[in-house]
Amino acid sequence: MSALPPEVHSALGALLQGLQSPDNNIRAHAEEQLNNEWIVAQADVLLMGLVEQVQGAQEAGPRSFAAVLFRRIATKTRKAPGSEESKDLFITLQQPHKDAIRQKLLQCLESERLPHVRHKIGDAVAEVARQYSDESQSWPELLQTLFVASQSQDAGQRESAFRIFATTPAIIERQHEDSVVPAFTKGFKDSDILVRTAAMEAFSSFFGSLQKKARKKYYPLVPELLNILPPLKEAGDADGLTKALIALIELAEEAPIMFKPLFHNLVQFSITVIQDKDLGDTVRQNALELMGTFADYSPAMCKKDPSFTSDMVTQCLSLMTDVGLDDDDASEWNNTDDLEAEESDMNHVAGEQCMDRLANKLGGSAVLPPTFHWLPQMMTSVSWRDRHAALMAISAISEGCRELMENELDKVLGLVVPALQYPHPRVRWAGCNALGQMSTDFAGTMQRNYHQVVLSNIIPVLDSPEPRIQSHAAAALVNFCEEAEKATLEPYLDQLLSHLMRLLQSPKRYVQEQALSTIATIADSAETAFGTYYDTLMPLLFNVLREEQSKEYRLLRSKAMECATLIALAVGKQRMGQNAVELVQILGSIQEKITDPDDPQSSYLLHCWGRMCRVLGTDFIPYLAGVMPPLLELASAKADIQLLDDEEQIHNVRQEEGWELVPLKGKVIGIKTSTLEDKHMAIELIVIYAQQLAGAFEPYVLEIMEKVSLPGLAFFFHDPVRIASAKSVPMLLNAYKSAHGERSPAMARLWESTIEKVLEVLTAEPAIDTLAEMYQCFYESVEVLGKDCLTPAHMLAFAASAQSALEDYQTRVKKREEDEQEFEDGEDESDETAFAIEDDQTLLSDMNKAFHTIFKNQETSFLPAWQKLLPFYDSFITSDDSTQRQWALCILDDVLEFCGDQSWSYQHHIQKPLVDGMRDPIPANRQAACYGVGIAAQKGGANWSTFVSESLPDLFKACQLPNAREDDHVFATENACASIAKILQSPHCRVANVQEVIPHWIDTLPVVNDEEAAPFAYMYLARLIDENNPAVIAAANKAFVAVALALEAETLQGQSAQRAVAAAKRVVQAGGVDANRILATLGPETQQTLRSFFG
């Protein structure tokens, strides 16, 4: 029986017809009616009417359309009655209306017989269920209906139940979990294959919604789950197998360890799927993706499997030979100008990507043996596809296998270099690709040791007859040259540039563009050595920039701008002469003519202006008036965000470039990322201008700070914008200070508004890595303002933000420890966890620097705010986590360094941590503790004298550890040495037997790594020499060598070096030692360095 009168259904029927009309005008009028007369005025009547249309319409089409429209309307947002909060439309209806509508909706689901219509009704049910779940409300009839449907005689009903479970797993409440295992078990064994795959998808979704500790009881379902796969393969059911594999991929991401007992069986099955060409590429690639997911999330389990790595490498290489199947001679490939053609769904790309993942996750020791079992024979194959696959495999694995491959580069290059002369163009292209990738992955080694091999073989490839090969060879040179030293490139510049200049004459625009990019990279690396070629190249670039060109040449001109300004940066203002002004004028002329918003010249120009500012310095100031308006417009851009209600909107936005779609509570949010990326770039360029121009940039500072930088700190739509804004704040402050002075009223006003916003964002920033940037912004800003720039209120606010950050940090650490307790045997720490730990360490480091900066500039005035955090230090200093101990020790060092006598008030919080720290096995902590003892002796006052004297045995032990001089430990050792010197020369020294200690201290020298520790050690040594201390005179040989090594290592410079040299000359004279004989025992380079000091 209908709940609505006939006239309502009549009007609604007419509306639905209008919405489906092929006539645009009729459809637009119906949409307007829908919004104004139904959604706004009578949403409850509309939704009830749509459900009754689903229930009563005779034809399948209207029923299906009404169900789709119901779901679309139900998800629209409006303010809840009596509230300013926006919610989904359905959930805002009055309770009686919701109850009646949802009851009829379930009746429709139970009665519908056509599968495609039932699926649309199921989607509507799932949407309403999601809204209840999001609001923590229940819909008890739904769960009962679905459990009944999952046991129905009708396979379609059973499938629908699982489809709804898959969409909204949260409807399975905790008290019903006992019913879940039998329901899924029965679903996995269902006689209908569609039900089995739907049950699989539902289980994957449900499992992903569970807390980690609640998952283990579902592990026993895995055998039944996997039994679904073989019949799908045997039946050749590609769609069903694809769905099943995707469900397994989702489960493997959540809990790969649950598959451990049957993992080998699953590997073998997946390999057979990847091999089976009859199943189609999509299914084969999904099987590959499943295995790749296991490598990502459980590399240890994969490495332990007897056949995983070898089978996967073999199948990846096989897929990588599926290239150019309808284009054997590569004529089509070579003739296309679309170098960005979409290939992500092709087998050879899937194989390459999976090889890359295997190498990065399993490592070289696992991946290299099976890979190089095949590569040599593939590289000698008569099939060009085998050779191409082998070269692309080298490109794919070189990053992950870097450590082992680096020692075998001779052999690898022996495989790659001959490919550059192979007749087939795609093999030569792949050879260029491999060399380019290796130049990046083995950066430094390739450029230093193999420049002759690489450059002498790839430069001739620039003359290839095929434009695509020319372009790719030039692109590979970018990879090589951007990591090369000036001295490495200089002998090859003639050859490189003569070939690249020929490419500028190519009829193919993309070749010209790439040649310009390569020349720009060479100029950037060659620096002043590029000056020889300036007169040849710059006129050519000026000609390109002056020519009026059509739209398709805009990118070419953009590349010419980039190249010209990078050359300008390389050769400098003096070499450019009048050309520098001329280039700026040309750039200004181009900017004035840009009208289209999508013109690539706009973004290139912004970077070019930044480079020319660096070239010209203050001479750039006259051009700011033209440069800044478009830059400020981009930097001030607001976020372009759209709520996408229906599939058509989503489809339209997806077709546009520069948008990111984010699912949120059943809807999709569209964020125009291209706008945000431009905003980020503009703020980064502002940083360059403020840095380069300092006080001359002052006219723009207030506007930028108010409208861009300070609001940008809380621009939560885009992390890079917040980070760039954080970097801009101290630079803008410094520019303003340069113009007005540190203590001017204008500076004080800007600082007050700035520091309030910076302190505010320290408590508001949600992303850990970005919060670290905010702390960096804070301490760099304080450094700009200097002494006593913070009020007591500022310092209390900072301490409150630090307390909040440290509490959150402790919560995260505790959560990780709890998760670790849940780890099962063989389960790996996830990349996500490793990155989270790294982010936390970075945060603690930047917080440390912030504390250091405040103590440095505020000294004892910071103590009242700081001591509120003492419970954290006491907790951290005894932690098993070495990072926490180091964090606390470093801040205690700051108290000792900057608070003088008042540091003694905190002796009970400091003494034991320093003693334990000197004995800490972690060298960074030992270094911090040893440094702290020295600072206590140097700056802590008389109260610390007994403690520091009693610390000498521990400091000597730190110097005498077996690994004391190894790279990781040497800074701790040298800090201990310097601290002993500080104690022995302290005016409050209470060491009873100083003369007995000095010979042992001399044995702790030299200090050849730590530039801060060295002067304290060597100035004490010089003082002892000046005093003719018998212990030093007796060890004149050691003392002289210690000074010599420090000079050679440049840890002693300036006046400290001069004083040490004078002392060393005196000690060899006083000790009767032959300095020349000592120098003769040192290496030739060391001798040459030291002769400049000692003659």
Side-chain angles (χ1 to χ4, degrees):
M1 177 179 175
S2 173
L4 301 174
E7 57 269 23
V8 171
H9 273 296
S10 175
L12 187 57
L15 175 69
L16 295 180
Q17 281 188 334
L19 290 170
Q20 297 175 85
S21 171
D23 187 308
N24 288 338
N25 293 328
I26 295 174
R27 198 166 63 253
H29 178 68
E31 285 282 357
E32 188 177 341
Q33 267 190 306
L34 174 67
N35 288 320
N36 298 332
E37 298 176 20
W38 293 89
I39 295 175
V40 174
Q42 46 183 349
D44 51 350
V45 174
L46 172 62
L47 290 178
M48 176 59 84
L50 289 172
V51 174
E52 292 194 344
Q53 287 284 327
V54 174
Q55 194 174 38
Q58 297 298 311
E59 299 294 325
R63 295 203 304 278
S64 179
F65 181 72
V68 170
L69 188 59
F70 177 94
R71 180 172 176 270
R72 175 184 151 195
I73 303 303
T75 61
K76 287 187 175 293
T77 54
R78 70 175 186 179
K79 286 186 169 57
S83 167
E84 288 300 307
E85 185 182 1
S86 292
K87 293 188 176 182
D88 293 307
L89 190 148
F90 178 85
I91 209 71
T92 64
L93 300 179
Q94 294 182 13
Q95 193 62 44
H97 296 154
K98 287 190 289 192
D99 291 348
I101 292 169
R102 75 189 193 191
Q103 182 182 357
K104 278 189 179 289
L105 199 56
L106 289 181
Q107 290 171 0
C108 294
L109 184 68
E110 291 168 348
S111 61
E112 181 58 59
R113 291 289 170 263
L114 293 178
H116 73 279
V117 179
R118 192 190 308 111
H119 291 164
K120 297 290 190 295
I121 299 169
D123 292 342
V125 169
E127 172 53 37
V128 173
R130 179 196 62 77
Q131 294 185 29
Y132 276 109
S133 179
D134 288 349
E135 295 295 323
S136 300
Q137 298 179 24
S138 63
W139 183 4
E141 306 94 332
L142 172 62
L143 207 54
Q144 181 60 31
T145 299
L146 294 181
F147 274 123
V148 169
S150 70
Q151 314 297 317
S152 169
Q153 295 298 310
D154 182 350
Q157 289 289 338
R158 300 198 299 275
E159 183 191 5
S160 289
F162 285 117
R163 282 172 60 92
I164 294 170
F165 280 137
T167 308
T168 321
I171 62 177
I172 304 175
E173 296 167 1
R174 190 161 294 159
Q175 61 264 35
H176 298 290
E177 284 184 2
D178 291 342
S179 311
V180 170
V181 172
F184 278 124
T185 302
K186 190 169 182 181
F188 295 158
K189 295 179 178 178
D190 200 282
S191 58
D192 190 287
I193 190 61
L194 293 176
V195 177
R196 295 202 296 276
T197 52
M200 215 173 169
E201 292 175 302
F203 177 73
S204 172
S205 182
F206 167 70
F207 188 87
S209 72
L210 295 173
Q211 294 290 325
K212 191 169 184 179
K213 58 183 67 174
R215 291 174 171 176
K216 198 167 184 179
K217 63 183 171 184
Y218 298 100
Y219 287 12
L221 291 174
V222 169
E224 297 297 344
L225 187 77
L226 296 182
N227 283 339
I228 298 170
L229 299 173
L232 288 168
K233 180 177 182 293
E234 289 163 15
D237 183 352
D239 289 342
L241 192 51
T242 293
K243 290 178 181 177
L245 288 168
I246 291 171
L248 288 178
I249 290 166
E250 292 168 355
L251 289 169
E253 289 173 351
E254 296 291 343
I257 202 71
M258 71 191 286
F259 294 93
K260 186 177 180 181
L262 293 170
F263 183 61
H264 185 63
N265 300 41
L266 182 55
V267 171
Q268 290 181 311
F269 175 79
S270 299
I271 295 299
T272 64
V273 174
I274 299 168
Q275 290 172 324
D276 192 340
K277 296 183 179 182
D278 293 336
L279 285 170
D281 291 346
T282 301
V283 181
R284 296 171 68 200
Q285 289 178 26
N286 277 316
L288 188 77
E289 176 61 28
L290 175 60
M291 293 294 100
T293 302
F294 277 111
D296 287 341
Y297 289 90
S298 188
M301 187 167 74
C302 294
K303 284 193 277 191
K304 287 176 185 174
D305 185 83
S307 64
F308 178 89
T309 308
S310 59
D311 284 351
M312 280 297 292
V313 165
T314 301
Q315 294 311 312
C316 285
L317 291 172
S318 176
L319 287 171
M320 288 164 68
T321 63
D322 283 1
V323 59
L325 299 180
D326 299 322
D327 186 28
D328 194 60
D329 63 355
S331 55
E332 182 182 334
W333 174 85
N334 194 48
N335 289 327
T336 182
D337 287 356
D338 182 10
L339 306 190
E340 305 297 326
E342 181 58 48
E343 291 189 332
S344 61
D345 59 346
M346 295 189 175
N347 284 343
H348 70 94
V349 175
E352 290 164 24
Q353 292 173 345
C354 193
M355 282 290 282
D356 175 66
R357 290 161 72 183
L358 293 175
N360 277 296
K361 293 299 179 180
L362 306 187
S365 58
V367 171
L368 285 178
T371 303
F372 277 85
H373 169 77
W374 292 109
L375 291 197
Q377 61 195 78
M378 292 176 75
M379 283 304 300
T380 56
S381 169
V382 294
S383 166
W384 70 263
R385 293 182 178 86
D386 288 349
R387 294 179 183 240
H388 183 277
L391 291 162
M392 296 306 291
I394 290 171
S395 299
I397 67 172
S398 60
E399 180 188 7
C401 301
R402 181 189 300 119
E403 196 171 320
L404 292 179
M405 283 180 71
E406 198 155 23
N407 297 323
E408 303 291 337
L409 282 180
D410 286 318
K411 295 176 184 175
V412 178
L413 287 168
L415 291 174
V416 173
V417 168
L420 298 177
Q421 298 177 22
Y422 192 75
H424 199 283
R426 297 201 69 166
V427 173
R428 279 180 279 132
W429 185 95
C432 294
N433 196 78
L435 282 182
Q437 191 63 51
M438 289 169 68
S439 296
T440 298
D441 292 334
F442 305 111
T445 304
M446 283 281 284
Q447 287 77 2
R448 190 169 51 252
N449 299 340
Y450 297 98
H451 54 86
Q452 199 277 332
V453 175
V454 174
L455 293 176
S456 64
N457 282 284
I458 204 166
I459 288 173
V461 183
L462 294 170
D463 290 335
S464 295
E466 302 90 354
R468 288 195 71 169
I469 309 298
Q470 296 172 345
S471 173
H472 209 52
L477 282 168
V478 169
N479 292 42
F480 184 89
C481 294
E482 66 187 358
E483 300 291 346
E485 296 292 330
K486 169 185 170 183
T488 301
L489 286 181
E490 212 163 342
Y492 302 96
L493 288 178
D494 280 345
Q495 292 182 67
L496 281 166
L497 291 168
S498 61
H499 283 76
L500 288 165
M501 287 173 67
R502 282 202 291 273
L503 294 188
L504 292 177
Q505 311 305 315
S506 169
K508 295 289 187 180
R509 196 166 62 251
Y510 68 81
V511 175
Q512 296 174 356
E513 291 165 1
Q514 182 58 63
L516 286 170
S517 291
T518 307
I519 291 169
T521 302
I522 293 169
D524 197 32
S525 294
E527 299 173 340
T528 52
F530 200 84
T532 307
Y533 309 93
Y534 177 85
D535 290 332
T536 306
L537 265 167
M538 203 56 115
L540 291 175
L541 296 172
F542 274 31
N543 287 340
V544 172
L545 295 176
R546 287 195 179 102
E547 285 177 11
E548 288 295 331
Q549 292 175 334
S550 54
K551 189 171 183 177
E552 63 267 26
Y553 284 92
R554 285 174 178 174
L555 182 58
L556 179 67
R557 188 148 68 163
S558 300
K559 297 282 187 182
M561 285 191 285
E562 177 184 57
C563 188
T565 51
L566 279 168
I567 291 173
L569 206 55
V571 302
K573 178 170 69 172
Q574 190 171 354
R575 176 67 181 82
M576 285 195 77
Q578 188 57 33
N579 284 161
V581 174
E582 198 176 345
L583 178 55
V584 169
Q585 290 171 345
I586 292 171
L587 296 177
S589 173
I590 292 171
Q591 179 168 290
E592 288 173 2
K593 295 174 182 175
I594 292 175
T595 55
D596 294 346
D598 62 346
D599 191 331
Q601 294 176 112
S602 297
S603 59
Y604 275 84
L605 257 174
L606 292 175
H607 288 288
C608 290
W609 288 129
R611 291 187 199 104
M612 292 312 297
C613 177
R614 289 162 64 192
V615 171
L616 293 174
T618 53
D619 290 346
F620 187 75
I621 293 167
Y623 306 103
L624 276 179
V627 170
M628 290 305 295
L631 187 66
L632 287 174
E633 184 180 350
L634 281 179
S636 306
K638 307 296 182 189
D640 188 349
I641 296 174
Q642 296 182 19
L643 178 64
L644 308 176
D645 281 326
D646 58 45
E647 296 299 327
E648 184 177 353
Q649 284 181 302
I650 294 169
H651 174 76
N652 291 340
V653 169
R654 192 171 272 136
Q655 298 310 303
E656 293 184 39
E657 285 188 15
W659 284 83
E660 180 181 352
L661 301 182
V662 181
L664 182 69
K665 291 189 175 181
K667 302 181 182 61
V668 174
I669 305 294
I671 303 174
K672 193 165 187 180
T673 52
S674 57
T675 302
L676 305 186
E677 286 157 7
D678 288 345
K679 181 181 179 77
H680 167 233
M681 175 191 67
I683 299 172
E684 283 192 321
L685 289 167
I686 284 170
V687 172
I688 291 174
Y689 291 133
Q691 187 177 31
Q692 294 292 321
L693 302 177
F697 196 64
E698 183 272 344
Y700 303 95
V701 169
L702 292 180
E703 181 185 1
I704 294 170
M705 196 72 95
E706 179 187 350
K707 295 181 179 178
V708 177
S709 295
L710 294 181
L713 296 176
F715 194 84
F716 295 114
F717 304 107
H718 198 57
D719 290 358
V721 166
R722 299 206 300 288
I723 292 169
S725 299
K727 292 188 183 305
S728 72
V729 168
M731 290 298 174
L732 292 168
L733 288 171
N734 188 62
Y736 207 70
K737 183 178 83 169
S738 299
H740 290 275
E742 189 175 298
R743 301 300 175 192
S744 67
M747 189 73 228
R749 288 192 295 273
L750 177 60
W751 174 239
E752 187 56 38
S753 60
T754 301
I755 189 62
E756 285 181 9
K757 187 66 178 177
V758 172
L759 287 168
E760 179 186 313
V761 84
L762 291 181
T763 58
E765 175 54 56
I768 308 306
D769 55 343
T770 310
L771 181 58
E773 298 282 351
M774 297 303 162
Y775 273 98
Q776 184 177 341
C777 170
F778 169 83
Y779 71 71
E780 288 182 352
S781 298
V782 171
E783 283 283 22
V784 171
L785 270 292
K787 285 285 184 187
D788 300 319
C789 64
L790 298 173
T791 65
H794 292 153
M795 289 184 278
L796 284 170
F798 174 84
S801 75
Q803 179 175 339
S804 173
L806 292 171
E807 286 170 350
D808 291 345
Y809 167 75
Q810 288 180 322
T811 301
R812 292 192 297 275
V813 169
K814 185 178 179 183
K815 175 70 165 57
R816 285 197 290 265
E817 288 171 350
E818 290 172 356
D819 288 346
E820 201 172 325
Q821 296 299 318
E822 298 289 324
F823 273 17
E824 298 169 52
D825 183 39
E827 190 171 359
D828 299 280
E829 178 183 87
S830 68
D831 284 347
E832 186 180 352
T833 300
F835 290 139
I837 292 170
E838 187 178 330
D839 286 344
D840 274 333
Q841 289 174 343
T842 303
L843 173 62
L844 288 182
S845 174
D846 280 308
M847 289 181 72
N848 230 328
K849 292 171 186 172
F851 279 101
H852 174 82
T853 303
I854 300 175
F855 272 121
K856 174 184 167 186
N857 288 286
Q858 300 294 143
E859 298 178 343
T860 56
S861 68
F862 183 45
L863 287 173
W866 172 80
Q867 65 188 16
K868 295 178 182 297
L869 302 173
L870 274 171
F872 291 102
Y873 310 128
D874 293 341
S875 166
F876 280 31
I877 206 71
T878 56
S879 170
D880 291 336
D881 182 349
S882 63
T883 303
Q884 293 186 29
R885 298 199 301 277
Q886 183 187 6
W887 185 83
L889 281 166
C890 288
I891 294 176
L892 297 179
D893 288 351
D894 289 331
V895 175
L896 289 164
E897 184 168 359
F898 298 111
C899 298
D901 292 344
Q902 289 192 39
S903 63
W904 183 251
S905 304
Y906 304 96
Q907 57 165 313
H908 298 302
H909 299 277
I910 296 176
Q911 286 186 352
K912 189 173 187 307
L914 290 183
V915 172
D916 292 341
M918 288 186 287
R919 302 167 183 171
D920 198 306
I922 304 299
N925 295 349
R926 209 162 57 248
Q927 177 184 347
C930 291
Y931 176 81
V933 173
I935 281 294
Q938 185 186 6
K939 298 189 175 182
N943 288 327
W944 286 98
S945 57
T946 300
F947 169 76
V948 299
S949 297
E950 292 172 351
S951 298
L952 282 175
D954 283 315
L955 290 170
F956 276 110
K957 285 179 183 175
C959 295
Q960 293 159 359
L961 292 170
N963 53 2
R965 291 289 169 182
E966 290 179 7
D967 288 348
D968 290 342
H969 296 263
V970 70
F971 281 90
T973 304
E974 293 184 350
N975 270 270
C977 167
S979 291
I980 296 168
K982 291 174 185 177
I983 294 169
L984 296 179
Q985 63 184 320
S986 167
H988 310 293
C989 178
R990 293 191 181 179
V991 179
N993 52 346
V994 172
Q995 199 55 40
E996 294 177 21
V997 174
I998 289 172
H1000 299 291
W1001 173 72
I1002 294 171
D1003 288 339
T1004 67
L1005 294 167
V1007 178
V1008 292
N1009 292 275
D1010 195 317
E1011 294 177 7
E1012 291 183 24
F1016 292 106
Y1018 286 103
M1019 291 310 95
Y1020 179 54
L1021 180 65
R1023 175 180 145 186
L1024 294 174
I1025 293 169
D1026 291 345
E1027 294 170 353
N1028 288 316
N1029 187 285
V1032 181
I1033 303 303
N1037 195 333
K1038 286 182 183 176
F1040 181 82
V1041 171
V1043 172
L1045 292 174
L1047 292 168
E1048 198 261 340
E1050 297 183 356
T1051 52
L1052 282 176
Q1053 294 183 2
Q1055 291 183 350
S1056 296
Q1058 291 171 15
R1059 187 169 177 210
V1061 169
K1065 290 177 179 178
R1066 281 196 299 276
V1067 78
V1068 291
Q1069 285 179 342
V1073 173
D1074 185 347
N1076 287 320
R1077 186 189 296 176
I1078 298 173
L1079 291 175
T1081 64
L1082 305 174
E1085 290 184 12
T1086 304
Q1087 287 186 46
Q1088 188 175 350
T1089 302
L1090 295 176
R1091 294 289 178 198
S1092 65
F1093 290 103
F1094 294 105

Coordinates of all heavy atoms in Angstrom, one line a residue, residues 189 204 243 246 264 283 496 498 550 722 839 894 941 1025:
K189 N 31.5 -21.7 0.4 CA 31.2 -23.0 -0.1 C 29.9 -23.0 -1.0 O 29.5 -24.1 -1.4 CB 31.0 -24.0 1.0 CG 32.3 -24.2 1.8 CD 32.0 -25.2 3.0 CE 33.3 -25.5 3.8 NZ 33.0 -26.4 4.9
S204 N 36.8 -9.6 2.7 CA 37.9 -8.7 2.6 C 37.6 -7.4 3.2 O 38.4 -6.8 4.0 CB 38.4 -8.6 1.2 OG 39.3 -7.6 1.0
K243 N 37.9 -10.4 -9.5 CA 37.3 -10.0 -8.2 C 38.0 -10.7 -7.0 O 38.3 -10.1 -6.0 CB 35.8 -10.2 -8.2 CG 35.1 -9.3 -9.2 CD 33.6 -9.6 -9.1 CE 32.8 -8.7 -10.1 NZ 31.4 -9.0 -10.2
I246 N 41.5 -9.4 -6.4 CA 41.5 -8.1 -5.8 C 41.2 -8.2 -4.3 O 41.8 -7.5 -3.5 CB 40.5 -7.2 -6.5 CG1 41.1 -6.8 -7.9 CG2 40.3 -5.9 -5.7 CD1 40.1 -6.1 -8.8
H264 N 52.8 -21.1 0.0 CA 53.5 -21.8 -1.2 C 52.5 -22.2 -2.2 O 52.7 -22.0 -3.4 CB 54.3 -22.9 -0.7 CG 55.1 -23.5 -1.8 ND1 56.1 -22.9 -2.5 CD2 55.1 -24.8 -2.4 CE1 56.6 -23.6 -3.4 NE2 56.0 -24.8 -3.4
V283 N 43.6 -10.3 -15.6 CA 43.7 -11.3 -14.6 C 45.1 -11.6 -14.3 O 45.6 -11.7 -13.1 CB 42.9 -12.6 -15.0 CG1 43.0 -13.6 -13.9 CG2 41.5 -12.3 -15.3
L496 N 79.8 16.9 -26.3 CA 78.4 17.0 -25.8 C 77.6 18.1 -26.5 O 76.6 17.9 -27.1 CB 78.3 17.2 -24.3 CG 78.6 15.9 -23.4 CD1 78.9 16.4 -22.0 CD2 77.4 15.0 -23.5
S498 N 78.4 20.0 -29.2 CA 78.3 20.0 -30.6 C 77.2 19.1 -31.1 O 76.4 19.4 -32.0 CB 79.6 19.6 -31.3 OG 80.0 18.3 -30.8
S550 N 53.7 30.0 -32.6 CA 52.3 29.5 -32.4 C 52.3 28.7 -31.1 O 53.3 28.4 -30.5 CB 51.9 28.7 -33.6 OG 52.8 27.7 -33.8
R722 N 52.1 24.3 3.4 CA 52.4 24.6 4.8 C 53.9 24.6 5.0 O 54.4 25.5 5.7 CB 51.7 23.6 5.7 CG 50.2 23.6 5.6 CD 49.5 23.1 6.9 NE 49.9 21.8 7.3 CZ 49.5 20.7 6.7 NH1 48.7 20.8 5.6 NH2 49.8 19.5 7.2
D839 N 59.7 9.9 11.1 CA 59.1 11.2 11.3 C 59.2 11.6 12.7 O 59.4 12.8 13.0 CB 57.6 11.1 10.8 CG 57.5 11.1 9.3 OD1 58.4 11.4 8.6 OD2 56.4 10.7 8.9
D894 N 71.8 21.8 27.2 CA 71.5 23.2 27.0 C 71.3 24.0 28.4 O 71.7 25.1 28.5 CB 70.2 23.4 26.2 CG 70.4 23.0 24.7 OD1 71.5 23.1 24.2 OD2 69.4 22.5 24.1
G941 N 79.7 26.5 36.9 CA 80.1 27.1 38.2 C 80.6 26.1 39.2 O 80.8 24.9 38.9
I1025 N 101.9 23.5 26.9 CA 103.2 23.7 26.3 C 103.8 25.0 26.7 O 105.0 25.1 27.0 CB 103.1 23.6 24.7 CG1 102.7 22.1 24.3 CG2 104.4 24.0 24.0 CD1 102.3 22.0 22.9

